Amino acid sequence: MSPYKGNRKINIPISIFVVVFAFILLVIPTSGNTEQLITLDKQKLPHKFSIAAPEIRPLVYIDKQGNIAGQFITMFEHFSEQTGIKVDIKVMPWGRAVQQAKSGNSDAIMPALYTNERAAFFAYPSEPLVIFSGSVVLQHRQDTRKIDSWHDIHDSQIVKVRSMNLGENVGRLFVNNRNELVEVVRIVDGLQMLQHKRVDYVVMDALIASSLIEELKLQDEIKVIVHPEESRLSNSYLAFSTSFAAQFDVEKIMALINQYNDPDKYIKQLEIYSH
């Protein structure tokens, strides 16, 4: 006969409950997260991906505190919050960014204009990431040379950022050694060279020029020379590595990104500081 009568009380150390509960939390994901990951897998969407990007203000750059910042960064943070897809963005020189994406060490590069050469090793979605509004030439206001059009620019040193695609109109500035090309990694360095009159001109995207002239308070020192044909718009893309595109649906990814990004919002009427 059992020595215990009626109900018996069994004392189990509370530490056992803590260990068991912690184990459940670790090995069993929440239903919301599970459903989200399954949905991503079914749609050939990644759980995370990486992007290599050159410094292009105001879109992506390193701020004074050494943190990555810019309009693209803010947009992708919102994208990640809403979709659960993590995006790792690293700023680096254009040449290195290209190599990182070509080799698959980075899953994508931004922003990248479409060229036949790049299409051989990048996968371009049909939707652009950003639409640029053309290039402008910047001149120091103390430069007394009268420039009515780009045709008047010759025998000069012209700075452009290395990641910038020349294009037809910009390219004509350097045909037959008409002008000397000076390339920089960061366009801010080129502007500082112009500000201190170490070069004659800087050629750059109109949106970025407008933003930097305003940010650096250079309105009284630098003026803009516009080419009439440069009002044409240029699509620039989030171009994916071929290895990444083989695994995931880049069209779906880009369409999803553009639910939180408006490529047209970067189009601005050229701010011409010429008066």
Side-chain angles (χ1 to χ4, degrees):
M1 183 175 181
S2 170
Y4 299 104
K5 294 182 179 180
N7 296 330
R8 65 174 181 173
K9 184 176 181 181
I10 301 175
N11 294 318
I12 300 177
I14 192 170
S15 60
I16 295 178
F17 286 108
V18 172
V19 170
V20 171
F21 183 68
F23 176 77
I24 291 173
L25 289 179
L26 286 172
V27 300
I28 303 179
T30 62
S31 60
N33 287 341
T34 302
E35 290 173 4
Q36 187 176 53
L37 295 178
I38 291 173
T39 300
L40 293 176
D41 290 336
K42 284 183 176 179
Q43 296 188 46
K44 289 193 70 177
L45 296 174
H47 300 168
K48 61 182 179 179
F49 64 94
S50 58
I51 302 174
E55 185 171 56
I56 303 180
R57 291 172 177 261
L59 305 178
V60 54
Y61 60 94
I62 302 298
D63 64 18
K64 294 179 180 178
Q65 288 72 44
N67 300 315
I68 191 169
Q71 296 173 4
F72 281 163
I73 305 307
T74 302
M75 180 274 292
F76 273 111
E77 286 175 349
H78 183 53
F79 165 81
S80 294
E81 289 171 0
Q82 297 299 314
T83 65
I85 299 175
K86 298 179 180 178
V87 183
D88 178 27
I89 302 173
K90 287 185 170 58
V91 175
M92 61 189 70
W94 171 255
R96 183 180 165 206
V98 170
Q99 290 303 318
Q100 287 290 302
K102 281 179 66 175
S103 65
N105 289 331
S106 292
D107 298 315
I109 184 172
M110 72 175 184
L113 293 172
Y114 180 91
T115 67
N116 290 333
E117 180 186 359
R118 293 175 187 172
F121 46 81
F122 290 145
Y124 284 84
S126 56
E127 293 187 32
L129 176 69
V130 56
I131 301 175
F132 288 124
S133 54
S135 300
V136 293
V137 170
L138 308 184
Q139 180 186 26
H140 200 288
R141 288 189 178 275
Q142 292 182 2
D143 188 336
T144 58
R145 286 172 290 185
K146 183 172 175 57
I147 304 297
D148 294 321
S149 73
W150 288 16
H151 182 72
D152 298 326
I153 300 173
H154 53 82
D155 301 318
S156 301
Q157 287 185 315
I158 304 177
V159 170
K160 84 167 188 71
V161 70
R162 188 169 298 157
S163 60
M164 175 185 174
N165 191 310
L166 282 172
E168 291 182 13
N169 298 314
V170 176
R172 289 191 189 103
L173 291 170
F174 305 102
V175 171
N176 298 324
N177 297 317
R178 180 175 149 197
N179 294 286
E180 180 185 348
L181 172 63
V182 179
E183 290 192 316
V184 294
V185 173
R186 302 189 317 146
I187 196 60
V188 174
D189 296 334
L191 282 175
Q192 290 174 343
M193 292 168 72
L194 180 61
Q195 184 182 14
H196 295 98
K197 304 176 190 175
R198 297 205 300 271
V199 294
D200 301 296
Y201 304 98
V202 172
V203 62
M204 61 191 300
D205 173 76
L207 163 64
I208 300 169
S210 173
S211 173
L212 284 178
I213 289 173
E214 193 170 329
E215 178 184 337
L216 301 175
K217 297 179 173 54
L218 297 174
Q219 295 93 328
D220 296 331
E221 296 183 66
I222 292 176
K223 62 182 177 182
V224 176
I225 306 167
V226 180
H227 192 292
E229 293 184 9
E230 284 296 312
S231 59
R232 293 179 301 181
L233 306 179
S234 301
N235 290 346
S236 198
Y237 298 85
L238 177 63
F240 295 89
S241 70
T242 53
S243 58
F244 182 85
Q247 300 178 63
F248 302 104
D249 190 332
V250 297
E251 289 289 347
K252 283 185 179 179
I253 295 170
M254 197 64 235
L256 187 58
I257 289 170
N258 277 346
Q259 290 182 24
Y260 307 93
N261 171 59
D262 180 7
D264 291 332
K265 85 173 188 176
Y266 304 109
I267 301 174
K268 293 182 177 179
Q269 183 177 3
L270 296 180
E271 291 187 47
I272 305 173
Y273 300 100
S274 57
H275 54 278

